[in-house]
Amino acid sequence: MIPFTISPNATPVDAATRVALIANPGFGKVFTDHMVVIKYTEGQGWHDAQVTARAPLSLDPATAVLHYAQEIFEGMKAYKLADGSAALFRPDANAKRFNASAARMAMPDVPEDVFIKAVEELVKIDSAWFPPVDGGTLYLRPFMFASEVFLGVRPAKEYLFMVIASAAGPYFKGDAGAISIWTSEHYTRAARGGTGAAKCGGNYAASLIAQAEATAHGHDQVVFLDAVENKWVEELGGMNVFFVFADGTIQTPPLGGTILPGITRDALMTLAREAGLMVREAPYSIDQWRTDATSGALVEAFACGTAAVVTPIGTVAGTAGRFAIGAGGPGQITQKLRQQLVDIQCGVAADGHGWVHKIG
Ligand SMILES: Cc1ncc(COP(=O)(O)O)c(C=O)c1O
């Protein structure tokens, strides 16, 4: 593996300010003292890995990413375990998904061990930033972008891989309360052959107007339908979706290249199957969702992802009106799966799958 040079920040945030910041960090606003930067040049490969003081980047106005959006990222968390140590959850899965995104965007592979070491080193050096609040984590953002200075539509020959960290509390304000979602009827997120399965910044840029529409209608999140028939439920702006039926079965939309293969989604399917529940990966239409919620055949629905963990969906709205799910609060299966997952992530429950990756 390439060597990492570790240069601690000479002027870190002072302890009193840090303690005040992490007491109520919110999400994505409070950043730590360090970052990781690794350079890539065609012919030379990855080199010059640095763990260094977090600082602004200076970019030439012709830097390729600013024009052609060759950029990908990951979202993962470091959890504080009961014994005081820190751990990652399935970082190998993040590394693999990162490289799948890289391949789709014609970017170079980051070796899995380099990806994981970069994240580990940042958590180690910034461990004082863990928020001392319930559900407090370090949210980690590995990303890569085309740093070559040129104008022209072709894959760049130079990239930066970076990791930054942010002290994080719960993603939704009323965490574990049910969210309301808005069905996007004018905008789609991804089409077959597109970039829906890649975690590239452009997907999120394209989703913002639909999320803004959801917010304007008073809803928490947007749910996207497929781009061909405009009827099959795909996923939320930043979360996968699950449906729970009165007969005890669970369903989630299949991975077909248009949705992000969520690591939380995968873990929950495993946990549910181990609990004896029947889990289907099968298309589900928005009309069927309404019919089943109204008849009582569907009793719970939830969204899941690293940031939001497992969040119950209470109501679904669109131009055709709205419908409620179950009693409008967290259902039993949703709560049970959430608790099981959180207990494994925080080391309270045994990890029978090799998912918990201790640091240090
Ligand atoms: C569009 C989208 N879908 C689903 C997810 C959930 O993925 P994961 O469980 O790996 O966080 C995310 C979050 O990363 C996302 O951005």
Side-chain angles (χ1 to χ4, degrees):
M1 197 193 333
I2 54 167
F4 279 62
T5 303
I6 300 184
S7 317
N9 190 335
T11 53
V13 173
D14 70 84
T17 306
R18 186 185 68 238
V19 167
L21 284 170
I22 63 178
N24 185 15
F27 195 92
K29 291 181 295 193
V30 174
F31 295 99
T32 63
D33 289 314
H34 297 87
M35 62 184 186
V36 179
V37 188
I38 312 180
K39 293 181 182 158
Y40 177 92
T41 311
E42 196 175 86
Q44 189 181 359
W46 291 104
H47 60 280
D48 198 11
Q50 305 272 348
V51 180
T52 184
R54 189 175 184 283
L57 298 172
S58 169
L59 295 179
D60 186 282
T63 302
V65 68
L66 301 177
H67 304 273
Y68 311 110
Q70 226 191 342
E71 188 269 353
I72 59 168
F73 64 97
E74 269 302 319
M76 53 203 289
K77 284 174 173 172
Y79 302 85
K80 205 63 187 230
L81 304 185
D83 65 6
S85 62
L88 303 168
F89 184 71
R90 305 184 67 182
D92 52 323
N94 290 98
K96 286 188 176 72
R97 188 171 65 188
F98 192 74
N99 282 331
S101 300
R104 177 64 184 82
M105 304 300 286
M107 298 168 94
D109 233 54
V110 176
E112 239 176 76
D113 56 350
V114 171
F115 179 100
I116 294 174
K117 183 169 168 69
V119 172
E120 282 179 336
E121 290 298 339
L122 189 61
V123 174
K124 274 194 231 166
I125 201 164
D126 280 334
S127 63
W129 286 88
F130 267 98
V133 297
D134 200 25
T137 57
L138 280 188
Y139 182 78
L140 301 155
R141 171 50 57 86
F143 61 107
M144 185 200 331
F145 64 90
S147 55
E148 186 185 353
V149 176
F150 83 105
L151 296 181
V153 182
R154 61 151 171 82
K157 297 179 181 187
E158 290 169 21
Y159 297 88
L160 288 183
F161 170 76
M162 300 185 60
V163 191
I164 54 173
S166 148
Y171 187 69
F172 289 115
K173 281 192 207 96
D175 204 29
I179 56 167
S180 69
I181 61 175
W182 173 257
T183 314
S184 176
E185 287 158 18
H186 299 114
Y187 306 105
T188 56
R189 183 184 167 276
R192 213 166 297 152
T195 58
K199 211 162 162 59
C200 59
N203 284 347
Y204 297 81
S207 77
L208 297 177
I209 192 167
Q211 177 60 40
E213 192 181 87
T215 307
H217 283 88
H219 298 282
D220 298 304
Q221 280 287 316
V222 62
V223 62
F224 287 99
L225 305 178
D226 77 288
V228 178
E229 297 179 74
N230 215 35
K231 82 185 239 193
W232 305 107
V233 178
E234 296 227 301
E235 62 178 327
L236 274 57
M239 282 158 269
N240 293 114
V241 61
F242 277 81
F243 312 99
V244 182
F245 298 91
D247 64 4
T249 62
I250 295 187
Q251 186 163 332
T252 191
L255 303 178
T258 57
I259 67 174
L260 195 80
I263 295 160
T264 317
R265 172 189 182 276
D266 184 76
L268 291 172
M269 285 200 299
T270 302
L271 294 177
R273 284 182 176 134
E274 285 171 2
L277 298 171
M278 143 95 126
V279 182
R280 290 181 299 273
E281 291 179 83
Y284 194 56
S285 73
I286 185 74
D287 290 340
Q288 196 63 45
W289 194 0
R290 172 191 300 274
T291 303
D292 291 346
T294 309
S295 73
L298 175 136
V299 287
E300 303 175 29
F302 62 85
C304 67
T306 298
V309 196
V310 171
T311 302
I313 297 171
T315 57
V316 182
T319 49
R322 52 182 267 155
F323 58 93
I325 294 165
Q332 273 183 17
I333 292 184
T334 303
Q335 265 181 318
K336 199 171 156 215
L337 284 173
R338 179 191 164 98
Q339 199 57 49
Q340 259 187 298
L341 179 68
V342 169
D343 285 350
I344 294 173
Q345 287 169 333
C346 298
V348 173
D351 167 27
H353 308 87
W355 287 343
V356 176
H357 178 103
K358 280 208 179 202
I359 296 176

